[in-house]
Amino acid sequence: MTAARFDVRIGINPISWSNDDLPSLGGETPLATALAEGKAIGYAGFELGNKFPREPAALAAVLAQHGLACVSGWYSGELARRSVDEEIAAVDAHLELLAANGAGVMVYGEVADAIQGRPQPLWQRPRFRSDADWRAYGERLTAFARHTLARGVRLGYHHHMGAYVQAPEDVDRLMAVTGDEVGLLFDTGHITFGGGDALAVLQKHIGRVCHVHCKDVRPAVVALARNRQWSFLESVINGVFTVPGDGGIDFAPLLSLLHAHGYRGWLVVEAEQDPAVAPSYAFAEAGYRYLAKLVAALDRGAGARA
């Protein structure tokens, strides 16, 4: 029997060049610069950011100029407050943009009541207070995910600092109250910053993972963020996140687990940093080289076992 290759592609989020939540970080960098540099480094595709065209044909043309794929795109959902019908109406244009450009996953971020962009300490994030609240949210999310699947795009739920689903126990509850239609976007940096062990969480929910953000953390900054009660954006500015291989997370066992369970999809480098402190090209290249080396090693191992 032939051992399976690790069938993944390495993409990147443009946040390495310009930050959507903090436009002052890299706001002057043109989209064309990010795309050209990402392609030169070796990335196969980009997730979307606020500088990308929002019309399907225009987006396709911009990506084609650089030979890049549309990986996915963040959607700011509000199902914690809105009905399924309201959310379906709100997502239509974004869903069409992704589907028309070949993206099989949509990044769903719950922004209702979230404090990720506010000057508040992270402990003040919103929480569902009862089992009934969790169940109702799960039912709405599952119905909404069923709609996106019907359009050819799977919902990848992004657990995120400052939101309802931040900590490992929140991810556990979310997976318990939603159907398989709801995929999990596993973000190594957010789950670690949120108090979890990335490998343990991945092992628990590997069957639902449909998209992966590869983000590293600087443990000393995580400790400061907690002790000094920083907001999410304060944490970012102070360097809590970095690219894979530059922080405290060991990605080798994470990728080995994904490979062993037959994960097929994207590994997306994403690290909110100030490009004036962490130069975009250098860090994006370092993250790519680190992941590419790990993926190549797994492929060699698969070949050796064939």
Side-chain angles (χ1 to χ4, degrees):
M1 182 193 301
T2 301
R5 287 189 60 250
F6 193 17
D7 190 11
V8 294
R9 291 191 285 174
I10 302 176
I12 192 165
N13 189 291
I15 207 164
S16 292
W17 285 269
S18 55
N19 193 300
D20 283 3
D21 291 327
L22 277 171
S24 60
L25 302 185
E28 73 287 354
T29 304
L31 175 62
T33 298
L35 297 178
E37 291 186 353
K39 178 65 175 181
I41 289 167
Y43 287 103
F46 267 71
E47 284 193 339
L48 303 184
N50 62 13
K51 294 182 179 179
F52 284 81
R54 306 306 298 180
E55 191 278 321
L59 175 60
V62 166
L63 291 171
Q65 287 174 9
H66 299 274
L68 292 163
C70 177
V71 175
S72 184
W74 171 282
Y75 171 69
S76 294
E78 298 185 43
L79 279 168
R81 295 291 179 187
R82 287 202 286 224
S83 70
V84 176
D85 287 343
E86 288 172 322
E87 206 67 66
I88 286 174
V91 79
D92 188 68
H94 185 65
L95 193 55
E96 173 60 22
L97 182 70
L98 295 177
N101 280 277
V105 173
M106 180 183 79
V107 176
Y108 181 95
E110 183 62 58
V111 301
D113 306 315
I115 63 167
Q116 64 199 59
R118 302 178 191 170
Q120 296 174 241
L122 284 164
W123 64 265
Q124 293 181 359
R125 71 183 179 91
R127 290 173 172 81
F128 295 117
R129 299 296 181 180
S130 69
D131 290 344
D133 288 342
W134 273 107
R135 285 195 300 271
Y137 182 64
E139 289 169 2
R140 293 194 297 274
L141 193 60
T142 301
F144 180 66
R146 195 174 298 125
H147 170 77
T148 70
L149 271 177
R151 298 278 292 274
V153 181
R154 191 174 189 198
L155 184 152
Y157 194 100
H158 192 335
H159 52 93
H160 199 288
M161 301 300 293
Y164 278 102
V165 180
Q166 170 181 294
E169 56 267 27
D170 302 324
V171 176
D172 292 345
R173 290 297 298 271
L174 182 78
M175 294 293 95
V177 299
T178 54
D180 287 343
E181 296 93 335
V182 177
L184 178 65
L185 186 163
F186 181 70
D187 188 298
T188 57
H190 278 276
I191 204 64
T192 304
F193 191 6
D197 176 272
L199 185 59
V201 175
L202 182 60
Q203 287 173 326
K204 186 180 292 187
H205 299 296
I206 186 76
R208 298 283 288 277
V209 172
C210 65
H211 202 53
V212 179
H213 278 179
C214 296
K215 181 191 283 104
D216 216 334
V217 299
R218 296 183 172 96
V221 184
V222 170
L224 286 174
R226 292 172 180 161
N227 292 342
R228 297 183 181 180
Q229 299 188 31
W230 286 342
S231 70
F232 177 68
L233 294 184
E234 282 180 300
S235 303
V236 167
I237 290 171
N238 282 286
V240 72
F241 293 132
T242 186
V243 296
D246 188 51
I249 298 174
D250 184 359
F251 282 81
L254 295 171
L255 297 196
S256 293
L257 182 60
L258 288 166
H259 180 216
H261 282 262
Y263 174 75
R264 300 176 65 187
W266 289 93
L267 303 176
V268 181
V269 171
E270 187 194 43
E272 298 97 318
Q273 298 192 88
D274 182 350
V277 177
S280 301
Y281 190 98
F283 275 79
E285 183 178 38
Y288 177 83
R289 301 300 174 211
Y290 176 78
L291 288 183
K293 183 177 180 180
L294 292 177
V295 170
L298 287 167
D299 271 346
R300 286 196 301 272
R305 293 191 298 272

